[in-house]
């Protein structure tokens, strides 16, 4: 503006009629101007290059953005602009579902209905009034890219920031709504928000309340929560990795199929703990492409036959998430494809046909020599039932997904060699033991192929071109 004038007159009739004027550079003047009505009138003399601020649509947009919820009417050309009520300040029992829906659609610029609505007020440790919504659908899942923050920050119904970066953690960007705190100063800037202890405390309180709200929804209506989880679980998993302070609370919201549930039925870690065998101290899990593939794979059968539950995770990010989670309520999370897991002895069918101790030692010694350099160690094990061999990752080695991520980031993944566990009861291993001395070359080729398949199942790197050539050569030898 070139200058600003403020005309004012007291409610007392005999008081002065005043005009305050300033150009913002040379100070201000105050003088008397007769004929003023009670109240104040502000006149802004715009510069020519900013004439757009005199246009009706521009003024309307500013009022709707920053003053839409103030408690007194704002009129523009004799028409009230701020017609939406600040529902977050009203008691929950006075607000209808239809009002919540209209408010959500207005603030989120949405056409759908809210899936969940969380309305709460608190006086301690901060004065907070919040009205938060979960949309029906996940926009990022629909290919719209990462969404900006969706919860606006207000102070006494005056907008501070429509998309505050520091108000909620980034993984809660799917949440829409309003947070109002009268403890915030009205002049807080966007730049200072992330460095303000008050905003950090506000974020912590709201985040914990929202996580507990989701847990209550999951308990009260599992089927509705299942639909939410199908659409929004990526955000919860992102939170486990990005927010260590909220890991355990978020882990309680995870859902998965399990060897103790029917196909399609989801369980939680709390459900797993309730079903744990007496004395069991670990939560076992597997990550793979599908439940069927995991149940048919070599890692599950030993746990199945011992009645040990295994949680099945089937999304690409799950490996990374569970690697960071480590434990839940004091119980360690252990991948069932890792070495170092001690399983109790269990009598199995075909035990009488198993290699005896001397034969087992002989074939294990030969395999260690034949596969030297490819694997860390070969030993006989008791976890396998229907498979001849399995590759187990060292306890402290990064899994296949972690290695791929490190390489994509230009970091060199530490070298990790798997340990092979052999099933001395399996016909292939018994036949391998019987031919290794008389037909050593053929036995070595068979051992290489068994090893290749075991390493592939473990997600370890295998030269598939060499593997195909070796398989062709092996088949050729067998057909001679």
């Amino acid at each position: 503006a070139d200058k600003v004038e403020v005309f004012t007159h007291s409610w007392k009739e005999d008081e002065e009629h005043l005009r305050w004027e300033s150009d913002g550079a040379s100070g201000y003047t105050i003088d008397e101007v007769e004929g003023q009505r009670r109240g104040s009138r502000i006149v802004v003399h715009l510069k020519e290059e900013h004439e757009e601020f005199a246009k009706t649509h521009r003024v309307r947009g500013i009022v709707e953005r920053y003053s839409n919820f103030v408690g007194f009417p704002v009129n523009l050309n004799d028409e009230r602009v701020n017609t939406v009520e600040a529902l977050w300040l009203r008691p929950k029992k006075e607000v209808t579902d239809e009002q919540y829906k209209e408010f959500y659609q207005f603030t989120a610029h949405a056409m759908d209905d809210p899936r969940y609505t969380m309305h709460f007020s608190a006086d301690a440790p901060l004065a907070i009034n919040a009205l938060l919504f979960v949309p029906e659908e996940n926009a990022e899942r629909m290919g719209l890219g990462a969404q900006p923050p969706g919860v606006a920050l207000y102070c006494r119904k005056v907008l501070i920031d429509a998309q505050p970066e520091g108000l909620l953690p980034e993984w809660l960007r799917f949440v829409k709504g309003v947070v109002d705190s009268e403890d915030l100063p009205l002049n807080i800037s966007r730049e200072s928000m992330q460095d303000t202890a008050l905003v950090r405390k506000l974020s912590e309180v709201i985040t914990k309340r929202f996580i507990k709200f989701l847990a209550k929804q999951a308990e009260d209506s599992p089927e509705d929560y299942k639909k939410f989880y199908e659409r929004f679980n990526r955000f919860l998993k992102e939170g486990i990795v990005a927010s260590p302070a909220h890991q355990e609370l978020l882990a309680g919201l995870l859902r998965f199929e399990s060897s103790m549930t029917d196909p399609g039925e989801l369980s939680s870690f709390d459900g797993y703990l309730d079903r744990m065998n007496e004395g069991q101290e670990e939560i076992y899990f597997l990550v793979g492409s599908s439940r069927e593939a995991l149940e048919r794979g070599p890692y599950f059968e030993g746990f199945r036959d011992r009645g040990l539950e295994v949680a099945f995770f089937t999304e690409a990010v799950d490996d990374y998430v569970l690697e960071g989670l480590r434990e839940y309520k004091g119980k360690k999370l252990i991948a069932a494809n890792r070495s170092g897991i001690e399983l109790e002895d269990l009598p199995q069918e075909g035990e009488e046909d198993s290699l005896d101790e001397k034969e087992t030692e002989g074939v294990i010694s030969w395999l260690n020599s034949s596969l030297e350099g490819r694997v860390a160690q070969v030993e006989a094990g008791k976890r396998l039932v229907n498979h001849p061999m399995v590759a187990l990752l060292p306890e402290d080695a990064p899994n296949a997904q972690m290695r791929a991520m490190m390489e994509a980031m230009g970091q060199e993944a530490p070298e990790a060699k798997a340990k092979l566990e052999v099933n001395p009861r399996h016909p292939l291993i018994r036949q391998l033991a019987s031919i290794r001395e008389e037909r050593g070359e053929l036995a070595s080729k068979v051992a290489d192929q068994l090893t290749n398949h075991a390493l592939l199942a473990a997600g370890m790197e295998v030269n598939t071109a060499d593997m195909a050539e070796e398989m062709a050569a092996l088949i050729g030898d067998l057909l001679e």
Side-chain angles (χ1 to χ4, degrees):
D2 283 322
K3 66 176 181 178
V4 176
E5 294 177 297
V6 179
F7 299 87
T8 184
H9 177 47
S10 169
W11 62 276
K12 296 179 180 180
E13 288 293 335
D14 56 349
E15 290 293 327
E16 298 175 303
H17 297 239
L18 299 175
R19 176 181 65 180
W20 176 97
E21 181 180 334
S22 175
D23 61 4
S26 58
Y28 64 89
T29 60
I30 299 177
D31 53 14
E32 283 201 43
V33 178
E34 293 298 327
Q36 301 308 308
R37 295 184 302 174
R38 173 184 172 180
S40 295
R41 178 168 58 96
I42 301 172
V43 179
V44 180
H45 298 264
L46 294 171
K47 295 179 180 179
E48 288 187 11
E49 61 266 32
H50 298 301
E51 64 178 22
E52 63 167 310
F53 289 101
K55 297 182 184 300
T56 300
H57 73 276
R58 190 73 167 93
V59 176
R60 178 182 291 276
I62 293 171
V63 173
E64 288 180 344
R65 181 176 177 84
Y66 293 99
S67 303
N68 206 53
F69 301 108
V70 295
F72 49 85
V74 179
N75 296 318
L76 177 63
N77 297 335
D78 297 323
E79 179 187 354
R80 183 169 178 175
V81 178
N82 58 332
T83 57
V84 181
E85 186 180 359
L87 288 187
W88 65 85
L89 296 178
R90 290 178 56 183
K92 285 191 289 186
K93 62 183 180 182
E94 296 181 5
V95 185
T96 66
D97 290 342
E98 186 63 26
Q99 287 175 313
Y100 279 135
K101 173 185 171 182
E102 290 176 358
F103 186 84
Y104 160 72
Q105 292 178 339
F106 174 80
T107 55
H109 307 290
M111 299 296 291
D112 59 337
D113 293 353
R115 180 178 293 277
Y116 288 138
T117 300
M118 174 183 161
H119 186 180
F120 81 93
S121 298
D123 296 322
L126 295 170
I128 303 171
N129 291 282
L131 182 50
L132 306 179
F133 302 96
V134 175
E136 188 73 22
E137 291 294 338
N138 172 7
E140 293 186 16
R141 186 168 173 254
M142 299 165 68
L144 297 181
Q147 299 296 293
V151 177
L153 178 62
Y154 284 76
C155 176
R156 304 179 190 91
K157 297 190 284 187
V158 176
L159 179 66
I160 302 296
D161 194 339
Q163 297 178 337
E165 293 289 344
L167 178 59
L168 294 179
E170 188 177 352
W171 59 269
L172 278 176
R173 61 189 177 275
F174 67 94
V175 179
K176 311 298 180 184
V178 171
V179 170
D180 191 322
S181 176
E182 62 184 42
D183 290 328
L184 290 172
L186 277 170
N187 62 349
I188 187 172
S189 67
R190 295 185 182 186
E191 291 73 20
S192 65
M193 271 192 58
Q194 296 189 33
D195 298 324
T196 302
L198 203 58
V199 174
R200 289 196 295 270
K201 186 65 177 177
L202 190 62
S203 173
E204 183 66 19
V205 171
I206 296 170
T207 300
K208 284 187 176 180
R209 288 288 291 262
F210 186 74
I211 294 174
K212 291 178 180 178
F213 168 79
L214 288 180
K216 185 72 165 58
Q217 300 305 309
E219 181 182 352
D220 292 347
S221 182
E223 283 303 312
D224 287 342
Y225 182 77
K226 181 179 179 181
K227 294 174 183 177
F228 159 80
Y229 188 80
E230 288 172 353
R231 292 161 175 80
F232 294 93
N233 70 80
R234 286 292 183 92
F235 296 103
L236 306 181
K237 293 173 182 178
E238 182 182 330
I240 288 175
V241 176
S243 296
H246 305 123
Q247 267 194 352
E248 188 157 297
L249 286 173
L250 286 169
L253 298 177
L254 295 181
R255 294 295 183 267
F256 48 84
E257 290 193 41
S258 153
S259 58
M260 295 295 184
T261 64
D262 294 331
E265 180 185 347
L266 299 183
S267 179
S268 65
F269 280 129
D270 287 312
Y272 186 110
L273 295 181
D274 290 341
R275 296 187 294 267
M276 280 178 70
N277 295 338
E278 186 177 351
Q280 183 180 335
E281 293 298 324
E282 295 86 14
I283 297 173
Y284 298 109
F285 69 87
L286 283 171
V287 180
S289 58
S290 67
R291 173 178 180 150
E292 182 183 10
L294 292 171
E295 287 182 323
R296 296 179 61 183
Y299 300 107
F300 172 60
E301 54 192 34
F303 295 87
R304 176 197 62 207
D305 284 21
R306 289 166 175 81
L308 292 172
E309 182 172 3
V310 177
F312 299 136
F313 290 88
T314 55
E315 292 198 357
V317 299
D318 290 339
D319 242 338
Y320 183 58
V321 173
L322 296 169
E323 190 79 17
L325 186 55
R326 299 291 183 178
E327 66 175 49
Y328 181 72
K329 293 188 176 179
K331 303 292 185 181
K332 288 186 176 180
L333 270 68
I334 303 293
N337 61 354
R338 295 282 183 169
S339 61
I341 299 175
E342 295 293 332
L343 298 179
E344 62 179 0
D345 286 322
L346 190 68
Q348 297 180 7
E349 290 185 20
E351 196 78 48
E352 63 279 0
D353 297 325
S354 174
L355 298 176
D356 60 32
E357 186 175 345
K358 184 177 180 181
E359 290 171 325
T360 300
E361 289 178 357
V363 75
I364 294 300
S365 176
W366 174 76
L367 283 170
N368 271 304
S369 176
S370 178
L371 299 173
E372 185 176 3
R374 291 198 65 193
V375 297
Q377 183 184 2
V378 184
E379 60 182 32
K382 50 195 177 186
R383 75 164 69 196
L384 290 172
V385 180
N386 299 319
H387 288 78
M389 182 185 290
V390 66
L392 304 173
L393 293 172
E395 293 179 67
D396 57 348
N399 57 40
Q401 187 185 30
M402 285 291 292
R403 294 174 67 85
M405 288 181 62
M406 292 173 70
E407 290 170 0
M409 295 168 62
Q411 301 177 13
E412 186 175 347
E415 184 178 1
K417 291 183 179 179
K419 181 176 77 173
L420 290 186
E421 193 169 293
V422 170
N423 179 5
R425 297 171 296 278
H426 197 278
L428 277 178
I429 300 302
R430 299 205 309 268
Q431 289 177 311
L432 193 62
S434 68
I435 68 169
R436 66 180 177 85
E437 293 184 356
E438 296 180 4
R439 304 183 66 185
E441 185 177 348
L442 176 63
S444 293
K445 290 180 179 179
V446 172
D448 281 337
Q449 289 303 310
L450 289 174
T451 302
N452 286 337
H453 283 84
L455 292 175
L456 281 175
M460 303 293 286
E461 189 173 343
V462 174
N463 189 317
T464 53
D466 290 347
M467 180 179 171
E469 289 183 11
E470 292 165 3
M471 176 63 78
L474 173 60
I475 294 174
D477 288 348
L478 294 173
L479 292 176
E480 286 182 358

